[in-house]
Amino acid sequence: MTSPASGTDWKGILADLRAHLPARPGGGREVRGSLRWLEAEMRARGARGSSVRDIVYRDVGTPGDKAALRAILEDLAREVGRPLVPPPAPDPPADESELLGRAKRRAYRQFLAGVRAGRAPRLIVTGRAGAGKTILLDHLERALAGGEGRRVTRLNLRGEQGNGEGEWPLSPVRGTSFAAHAQAQADAARAVLPTAPGVLLARVTADLTFVGGPPRDAEGRPISSAAWAADHLLRRAPPGVAVLLALEDAGGVPADVAEVIALRPPTPTEARAYLMARLGVTRERADALVRETGRHQGRLALLAGTGGVTPGHLLADPDVRRLAAALAALGVGEAPDGALSSVLGLPVTELPVHARALLQKGEAGWTPLPALRAALTYVPAREVDAARRRLAGAPPGPDLAPFRLAALAELGEWADLAAHLATRPDDARHLPPLWPRVRAGATGETRETLARAVATHHAGRGEYDAPAARDALFTLLESPRPAVRGWARVKLAESSVDAGNFGAATAQLAQPYLAAVPTGSHDPWTAAAGADALLVEAALARWRGDLEAATRAATDPRTAHGGGRAHLWRGLIAKDAGAWGDALRHLHLVPETSPLLSARARYQEGDLRLRLGQPAAALEALTDAAARLEAAGGSPEERARVLSRAATTLRRLGRPAEGRAHLGAALSLLPEGRDDGVVRARLLSEGVPILLALGRPDEALADAARALSLLSRPGPRRAEAEYRTRRTRYRVALSYLTRGLGRPYLQPFTGPRRDHPDLAHARALLDAALARPPGPSDREQVLTFDLHLSRALADPDPRAALSHAEHALAMTDHPYAGAQARAAVAEARLRAGEPDAALAEINRAHALVRRVQVGLPGTHAPDPGLTAQLLALEARALIGDGAATLRWLRSALHDPALAPFRPGLWREAGRALEHGHPHPEAVVRALHPGREPGPLRVRDALALLEVGGEERDAR
């Protein structure tokens, strides 16, 4: 049977197989061996089903599709016992099949046959750009490579040669004698000619020059590049060396030097068939591509993606060469669209189709395909530098900064690099990878300026131990200028504060000239050192709890040099000092043009609003902070802290499941074992109340234990670890309190009527924590306040609970804390049987909540959790009024923000009804006429009826 190779009778083979197939259907309605069945089989094997008819009737298709169809036919042949014979070797050979046009194939066969026969053929091919000269040389080079004892030399002589450019071994010639220049050219040509047996494949363009001068003959007269190549590379080649010259035209070439074969671009028919076979496209699409490429054979080959395309072939095309230079200038595996367009000087989508075919488009940018990537190292340095200069001069763009900085560093334009960072300081985040080159290349004050940018960037992220940061600081400490060394020492003091080593920070600041920095100093290093030193002093005073000293240092006029950073610190200290309005004013003065600083300001604002009882506004600020940090390249630790605070805010809004997801995202940013464990422990600890709100106290205890284990490890930040340990032990007590009460830690959350072993253990932990005198810092005071509130909830004795609630009330310093404490007092009085006194406290708490809404700039929704707690307490106090109270409660719960708290509110109302009304069932029937008595307790029935009714109404 005939084998279905190229040029064979596919139709006849298929008819023969069908005649021997049994008459049974395939998997669908198609008959086995039919065209539709073959199409389905092709698709099942990952080939194109639509190619079947083209292959069978016209022998047109990609090699892959033909191979897939052959495999299907072989399976059918084995089935009927008529196996196909193996296909013969392809004819014409694979290399020759790429050569479109009879003249190119003749030149290929003729030259290849002569070399393989041991002769030394001499041949000249001519043709305009796109005729296929480079492809012909590529295929001959591949076919002849590795021949026994034969060396193939490839030359591509275009444009300027010599002076270190191109691939020509020619040095500048002293003197002005044209004959001397001609002799130098002849000597250089002789040096590149291979010895016998060898092959020289040379492409020579009409624009060839040598060290700025034209090619010359032996008398020193200018001649065409074609005539020069015919004389020096072909006629003077040693005996036994085969030579093929590829010229644009044969002008000036002696008629008898060698046979000349004129090459022409592929005809439209040849080009169309080539693309249809290689790409498997329709005739119409192939025609459109032929028009776009101008029948340029090199571009057709690139578009078809044929294998074995050499760097020389790629770089011979000016569009591809420009693209390669741009990618080499960017120096990355994947180039963002904006950056690549900037370095090209035009949008990527405006590149010719054959050049774009060498790129893979992805979500993050353009990736060069392997052939183009291999060619990048062959782009001349001057062209790469020219691309870098285009990049350095392009208008700023969102994804351009890292490439612009890298280009300036590669060009050694250190002053321009420093000037860029002076106007766009946040771009310093892209500088650390370039620091080794900066350190080696920049000098003097410019190097010091760039070292400062590196150190400032890492300091802003808290990465004081980063290798680039330490090296930059020690570079500055080697400066001959005292002010520069002083600035570096202040940064070392900052690093000590960050590590909790306050003694070392104090020692670093104990330098007389730092204390005597004059206000308004014009030296930028001196002014910056003075401002930063004052901010370090403010940080030290804040850690000591001396907010007066911290405020004094942060508001010193000399800190004005710190700009946004100074405002951030002033806002932070004002926040700790309870000056809420001043805190927000300074935080809002941090400029948005500094993404990292503005992200931190938004984080502090979110934390402040959460503390003051505005969780919805807090969530907005924290979400914005997280987005800014991610966009600005914030450190994983900082991003994790913001996400964990947002998780706590979501819990306070009654959305603990969302909070848990945020916390999971935060933990994923901090793989275990990557740091000292303090930040990860903090996240685990902050997640404990979220798990309690989800009703998972055992998991909460496990996470708290993990956090305490991390905090017990030795490390530099001991002061921070000790505070986090106390806060986590408090959350352990909170876990036992929640488990002892048997309810999720979600408002309304009320104290017990009877004791429980878990409650007793919670009280023991809380009492041990309260026995330690609170530190003077703001956060220690907040912790003590929380301890008293939880201690009140853990005690079944209402008088003991009232004592702790009143202790908390005495500590309040803002309306929200006052409302929380008065709610705790009211809850204790209700358990003590004092509903009137409880109502008085509830009314005071409501008044304080209204002050929370208007106490800071803007109008903000109150904490829905606290509102739910107050509504539950009020319902308990008024439950004697029965159905009237519950109707009032139903009306109050129309606020959408209270939706997550409604089930708990109705359960509390049901408990109050059971304990505080003589006829609870009658009250429920009054609210829900027609309800049949059932097995459920009143508290459960009421919750199901009310919450279920709301859900039905919503639907």
Side-chain angles (χ1 to χ4, degrees):
M1 181 178 291
T2 307
S3 169
S6 178
T8 57
D9 183 11
W10 293 88
K11 186 176 179 182
I13 295 166
L14 186 56
D16 181 73
L17 289 174
R18 284 175 180 166
H20 293 83
L21 279 170
R24 57 188 178 91
R29 288 180 293 179
E30 298 87 2
V31 175
R32 287 173 62 79
S34 69
L35 291 177
R36 287 188 179 180
W37 182 85
L38 288 171
E39 289 171 353
E41 286 293 304
M42 288 281 280
R43 286 191 293 270
R45 301 188 186 205
R48 292 184 317 115
S50 60
S51 67
V52 169
R53 295 173 192 270
D54 283 338
I55 297 172
V56 170
Y57 292 115
R58 297 165 52 208
D59 194 22
V60 173
T62 67
D65 288 343
K66 287 185 176 182
L69 181 58
R70 175 182 172 80
I72 296 169
L73 296 179
E74 284 177 340
D75 290 343
L76 290 175
R78 279 192 294 272
E79 185 177 326
V80 299
R82 296 174 63 81
L84 305 182
V85 299
D91 184 25
D95 276 345
E96 189 176 337
S97 68
E98 301 290 335
L99 303 173
L100 305 184
R102 193 173 301 167
K104 278 187 285 293
R105 286 194 290 274
R106 179 164 75 86
Y108 176 83
R109 292 169 179 164
Q110 181 175 318
F111 190 81
L112 183 61
V115 173
R116 286 179 172 171
R119 299 191 299 274
R122 307 287 171 92
L123 182 64
I124 296 174
V125 294
T126 64
R128 68 170 177 83
K133 300 184 297 295
T134 300
I135 286 184
L136 173 62
L137 298 183
D138 287 344
H139 286 72
L140 283 170
E141 184 178 17
R142 280 201 299 274
L144 294 170
E148 190 172 340
R150 184 191 308 123
R151 178 188 173 194
V152 178
T153 300
R154 179 78 176 266
L155 292 179
N156 183 27
L157 302 182
R158 60 189 297 271
E160 172 68 6
Q161 299 290 320
N163 275 336
E165 304 290 351
E167 55 186 85
W168 194 253
L170 183 65
S171 300
V173 179
R174 294 175 182 169
T176 57
S177 167
F178 292 148
H181 282 276
Q183 185 60 49
Q185 294 173 9
D187 292 342
R190 192 179 305 111
V192 299
L193 290 171
T195 57
V199 178
L200 175 64
L201 304 174
R203 180 175 179 269
V204 182
T205 62
D207 63 350
L208 176 65
T209 59
F210 297 104
V211 198
R216 297 183 181 276
D217 64 13
E219 304 301 323
R221 294 183 297 256
I223 56 175
S224 69
S225 60
W228 183 92
D231 183 34
H232 289 82
L233 300 181
L234 194 150
R235 188 175 62 79
R236 299 189 187 186
V241 172
V243 180
L244 188 147
L245 290 184
L247 309 173
E248 291 176 348
D249 64 67
V253 175
D256 59 347
V257 71
E259 180 182 359
V260 178
I261 298 178
L263 308 182
R264 293 178 177 79
T267 65
T269 301
E270 289 172 332
R272 180 178 64 236
Y274 174 76
L275 290 180
M276 289 177 67
R278 296 301 182 277
L279 299 179
V281 295
T282 64
R283 179 190 182 99
E284 292 74 16
R285 178 57 180 154
D287 282 336
L289 292 172
V290 169
R291 286 192 298 271
E292 283 193 66
T293 56
R295 295 189 290 120
H296 187 294
Q297 183 164 355
R299 295 174 184 175
L300 290 169
L302 295 180
L303 188 59
T306 54
V309 178
T310 65
H313 178 190
L314 291 174
L315 300 182
D317 183 274
D319 295 305
V320 175
R321 193 181 187 94
R322 184 180 180 91
L323 174 60
L327 290 166
L330 292 173
V332 291
E334 188 169 41
D337 186 272
L340 184 52
S341 295
S342 294
V343 72
L344 279 170
L346 76 164
V348 182
T349 52
E350 291 185 12
L351 281 172
V353 64
H354 70 280
R356 288 203 313 276
L358 295 165
L359 295 171
Q360 178 72 43
K361 176 66 171 149
E363 288 186 8
W366 299 89
T367 305
L369 296 178
L372 180 56
R373 188 179 297 112
L376 299 185
T377 57
Y378 293 89
V379 181
R382 70 181 186 281
E383 296 180 29
V384 178
D385 284 348
R388 290 188 178 117
R389 289 190 176 87
R390 280 197 301 275
L391 181 59
D399 57 0
L400 200 57
F403 305 107
R404 183 198 295 274
L405 266 58
L408 290 170
E410 289 291 338
L411 293 168
E413 301 289 354
W414 310 116
D416 289 346
L417 182 57
H420 175 104
L421 294 173
T423 57
R424 304 173 71 87
D426 280 306
D427 285 350
R429 70 183 187 271
H430 307 300
L431 191 57
L434 308 174
W435 171 245
R437 181 176 287 274
V438 173
R439 198 184 200 286
T443 58
E445 294 185 13
T446 303
R447 183 170 75 162
E448 291 174 355
T449 299
L450 295 172
R452 175 175 162 181
V454 171
T456 300
H457 162 72
H458 282 295
R461 292 164 57 92
E463 298 169 345
Y464 293 95
D465 287 331
R470 305 296 290 183
D471 190 55
L473 281 176
F474 284 113
T475 297
L476 295 174
L477 288 171
E478 297 167 359
S479 171
R481 295 191 288 165
V484 175
R485 297 197 303 272
W487 185 90
R489 292 205 173 276
V490 171
K491 285 297 164 190
L492 289 175
E494 274 186 32
S495 71
S496 297
V497 170
D498 183 72
N501 192 346
F502 305 120
T506 303
Q508 291 282 2
L509 292 183
Q511 301 180 53
Y513 83 92
L514 284 177
V517 172
T519 303
S521 171
H522 296 297
D523 177 69
W525 290 93
T526 301
D532 288 350
L534 285 165
L535 294 178
V536 172
E537 288 179 11
L540 290 169
R542 177 174 175 256
W543 274 97
R544 293 194 303 267
D546 188 351
L547 292 179
E548 182 179 348
T551 302
R552 190 167 54 250
T555 56
D556 187 296
R558 288 172 290 179
T559 61
H561 186 87
R565 188 162 168 266
H567 281 300
L568 180 61
W569 268 100
R570 290 171 186 172
L572 183 58
I573 292 167
K575 172 186 161 198
D576 290 348
W580 322 120
D582 286 346
L584 280 179
R585 180 170 59 84
H586 282 296
L587 293 175
H588 288 168
L589 286 172
V590 176
E592 293 193 2
T593 53
S594 180
L596 278 174
L597 286 179
S598 64
R600 289 165 190 158
R602 288 291 274 163
Y603 168 73
Q604 292 297 336
E605 179 183 350
D607 186 64
L608 174 57
R609 291 195 182 278
L610 183 61
R611 177 176 174 181
L612 298 184
Q614 299 174 351
L619 182 61
E620 180 185 345
L622 292 167
T623 302
D624 184 33
R628 291 179 188 229
L629 278 175
E630 185 171 5
S635 68
E637 292 82 0
E638 195 166 12
R639 290 169 57 200
R641 283 195 295 268
V642 174
L643 286 173
S644 70
R645 202 68 182 133
T648 294
T649 307
L650 286 163
R651 172 183 65 81
R652 293 265 290 272
L653 289 167
R655 295 150 60 183
E658 292 178 60
R660 184 65 181 166
H662 272 62
L663 192 72
L667 286 166
S668 70
L669 292 170
L670 301 174
E672 287 193 73
R674 295 287 181 88
D675 60 4
D676 59 9
V678 174
V679 177
R680 186 173 182 83
R682 175 179 174 173
L683 301 187
L684 289 169
S685 179
E686 288 201 39
V688 167
I690 296 173
L691 286 169
L692 297 176
L694 291 168
R696 293 150 62 178
D698 293 342
E699 292 178 50
L701 285 169
D703 275 3
R706 279 193 283 272
L708 290 171
S709 175
L710 289 170
L711 292 167
S712 66
R713 296 176 182 175
R717 292 187 283 180
R718 293 318 306 157
E720 176 71 7
E722 288 168 8
Y723 167 76
R724 292 296 162 192
T725 297
R726 292 193 293 279
R727 174 61 76 172
T728 304
R729 290 179 69 85
Y730 158 64
R731 287 168 176 150
V732 171
L734 199 62
S735 301
Y736 282 109
L737 166 62
T738 304
R739 197 168 73 177
L741 291 173
R743 296 191 298 277
Y745 185 60
L746 196 66
Q747 301 281 32
F749 196 70
T750 55
R753 298 177 182 275
R754 64 182 63 85
D755 207 357
H756 184 281
D758 280 341
L759 295 177
H761 191 61
R763 291 195 299 275
L765 293 172
L766 293 167
D767 288 340
L770 286 167
R772 180 185 185 276
S777 69
D778 176 66
R779 64 181 184 175
E780 292 283 3
Q781 295 293 316
V782 172
L783 175 57
T784 302
F785 177 79
D786 291 344
L787 287 165
H788 278 299
L789 289 182
S790 295
R791 182 63 178 78
L793 288 171
D795 207 316
D797 179 355
R799 293 298 165 189
L802 182 61
S803 173
H804 283 287
E806 289 175 338
H807 268 98
L809 184 60
M811 297 180 68
T812 58
D813 56 354
H814 56 86
Y816 180 65
Q820 287 179 295
R822 290 199 178 278
V825 170
E827 199 276 334
R829 290 199 178 279
L830 281 172
R831 282 194 278 146
E834 303 173 6
D836 292 338
L839 275 174
E841 296 294 341
I842 292 167
N843 288 333
R844 293 188 186 102
H846 276 303
L848 289 169
V849 168
R850 287 192 291 274
R851 285 176 58 193
V852 169
Q853 289 178 261
V854 297
L856 289 173
T859 300
H860 304 285
D863 182 351
L866 179 57
T867 301
Q869 178 80 341
L870 292 174
L871 289 174
L873 294 174
E874 195 166 353
R876 282 173 61 184
L878 299 173
I879 199 63
D881 294 340
T885 294
L886 296 182
R887 288 191 182 96
W888 158 81
L889 180 61
R890 182 189 288 167
S891 176
L893 289 177
H894 286 162
D895 182 355
L898 293 173
F901 305 100
R902 286 171 188 156
L905 264 164
W906 285 113
R907 279 194 296 271
E908 284 299 312
R911 290 177 65 209
L913 195 61
E914 286 183 345
H915 291 284
H917 196 280
H919 305 294
E921 282 283 357
V923 173
V924 175
R925 284 196 299 273
L927 286 172
H928 298 276
R931 172 185 173 265
E932 295 294 331
L936 299 182
R937 287 177 60 178
V938 165
R939 70 176 68 176
D940 301 314
L942 183 63
L944 286 172
L945 287 167
E946 292 294 334
V947 177
E950 290 175 357
E951 292 176 350
R952 285 192 298 275
D953 291 343
R955 289 196 295 269

